[in-house]
């Protein structure tokens, strides 16, 4: 069964979060995803608030840019979240937008090396291990959490390039694919992830989350066209968005699910006139049509 979610876009002011979360919770939405885009809203801060507003909604942070965060601090914050809200916090990490990393003095020469070192150390810390490592970027000396999670915490990786997709299979527990990833690109990404998993001898489930631009309502087509232009999707035939009623949106979700996505996260347009209404639309009208 495909998991269905939406995004609370950080272009909305933080004070809108509670109403959107409560609307999602009341409507029965499965997942709400948050972004840590510079320089908008903190991913783990908003995740903690969103989780506290609801008793059942899963909240994903997709993704945490690792150059911004010391790995020990991330481990402390993630462990706190998952102990406070068992089974409901979903965490993804990634390179971050390199221009933004440069703006804050955090850009590194080898983002791939950093992500490998960081993810390896983060997973070990969250397993409750005492970690000492002297990597190119990640250096820890006998660090262990006093309050580790009681169970393993999956760490997903955001990935676009071939090498990062292979790395996600090698060291990650799942992969987050950005909006603009069409079904054919999902299949190709899964092949690369699979190569990484095989090389590392990893088996078991690997979650695949993909963002899908979506809009509904009387102005849906116009808003999606503007959104595609904003994101640079020049080819009008590229299958990276959907505009229409619940049947059109559900059909699109099926295409991505058939390509291998285990979770399809519908990404509203930045100018959606009714964010609360969008989450209700997804939960109440699209979800019954998605197997």
């Amino acid at each position: 069964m495909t998991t269905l979610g939406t995004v609370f876009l950080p272009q909305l002011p933080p004070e809108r979060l509670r109403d959107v979360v409560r609307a999602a919770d009341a409507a029965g939405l499965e997942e709400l995803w948050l972004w840590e885009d510079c320089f908008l809203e903190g991913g783990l801060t908003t995740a903690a608030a969103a989780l506290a507003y609801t008793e059942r909604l899963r909240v994903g942070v997709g993704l945490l840019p690792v150059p911004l965060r010391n790995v020990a601090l991330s481990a402390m914050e993630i462990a706190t979240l998952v102990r406070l809200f068992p089974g409901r916090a979903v965490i993804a990490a990634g390179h971050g937008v390199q221009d933004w990393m440069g703006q804050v003095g955090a850009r590194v020469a080898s983002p791939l090396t950093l992500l490998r070192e960081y993810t390896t150390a983060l997973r070990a810390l969250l397993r409750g291990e005492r970690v000492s490592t002297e990597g190119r970027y990640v250096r820890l000396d006998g660090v262990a959490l006093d309050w580790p999670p009681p169970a393993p915490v999956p760490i997903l990786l955001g990935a676009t390039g071939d090498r990062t997709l292979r790395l996600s299979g090698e060291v990650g527990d799942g992969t987050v694919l950005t909006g603009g990833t069409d079904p054919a690109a999902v299949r190709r990404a899964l092949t690369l992830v699979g190569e990484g998993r095989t090389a590392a001898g990893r088996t078991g489930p690997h979650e695949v989350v993909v963002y899908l631009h979506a809009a509904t309502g009387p102005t849906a087509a116009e808003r999606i066209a503007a959104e595609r232009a904003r994101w640079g999707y020049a080819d009008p035939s590229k299958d990276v968005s959907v505009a229409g009623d619940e049947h059109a949106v559900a059909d699109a979700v099926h295409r991505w699910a058939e390509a291998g996505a285990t979770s399809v996260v519908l990404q509203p347009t930045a100018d959606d006139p009714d964010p609360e209404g969008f989450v209700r639309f997804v939960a109440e009208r699209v979800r019954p049509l998605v197997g």
Side-chain angles (χ1 to χ4, degrees), residues 2-219:
T2 306
T3 301
L4 198 59
T6 67
V7 183
F8 176 84
L9 293 174
Q11 286 78 15
L12 293 171
E15 55 268 26
R16 288 293 299 274
L17 179 65
R18 180 172 59 180
D19 288 343
V20 173
V21 168
R22 289 183 171 172
D25 194 37
L29 187 71
E30 294 156 89
E31 291 183 347
L32 184 74
W33 283 76
L34 309 168
W35 295 349
E36 190 163 77
D37 278 3
C38 296
F39 300 93
L40 295 163
E41 294 158 5
L44 293 174
T45 310
T46 47
L51 288 161
Y53 293 142
T54 170
E55 295 292 331
R56 45 152 300 278
L57 185 67
R58 291 181 77 204
V59 175
V61 183
L63 47 78
L64 298 174
V66 301
L68 278 177
R69 294 176 166 275
N70 181 278
V71 68
L73 177 61
S74 290
M76 291 163 57
E77 292 186 327
I78 293 166
T80 301
L81 271 187
V82 301
R83 290 183 70 107
L84 288 170
F85 308 104
R88 295 201 293 120
V90 185
I91 305 298
H95 298 307
V97 176
Q98 295 306 295
D99 286 348
W100 289 339
M101 299 304 99
Q103 279 184 274
V104 299
R107 188 167 186 165
V108 298
S110 178
L112 196 73
T113 300
L114 170 58
L115 189 57
R116 178 189 297 278
E117 293 179 356
Y118 194 104
T119 306
T120 302
L122 179 60
R123 294 177 73 222
L125 289 167
L126 293 172
R127 288 194 299 266
E129 298 176 14
R130 185 169 298 278
V131 181
S132 294
T133 184
E134 190 70 25
R136 181 174 177 182
Y137 300 110
V138 175
R139 300 178 179 89
L140 299 172
D141 182 9
V143 176
L145 299 178
D146 284 342
W147 294 105
V153 179
I155 299 297
L156 285 62
L157 297 188
T160 54
D162 290 6
R163 292 191 299 166
T164 309
L165 285 162
R166 291 190 184 96
L167 179 66
S168 183
E170 183 181 344
V171 303
D173 301 300
T175 302
V176 177
L177 301 174
T178 186
T181 306
D182 64 21
V186 172
R187 295 185 182 93
R188 182 176 183 278
L190 285 174
T191 298
L192 294 165
V193 168
E195 291 173 3
R197 284 167 58 80
T198 298
R202 303 191 68 189
T203 59
H206 186 94
E207 188 172 357
V208 178
V209 179
V210 63
Y211 295 115
L212 170 60
H213 297 278
T216 192
T219 62

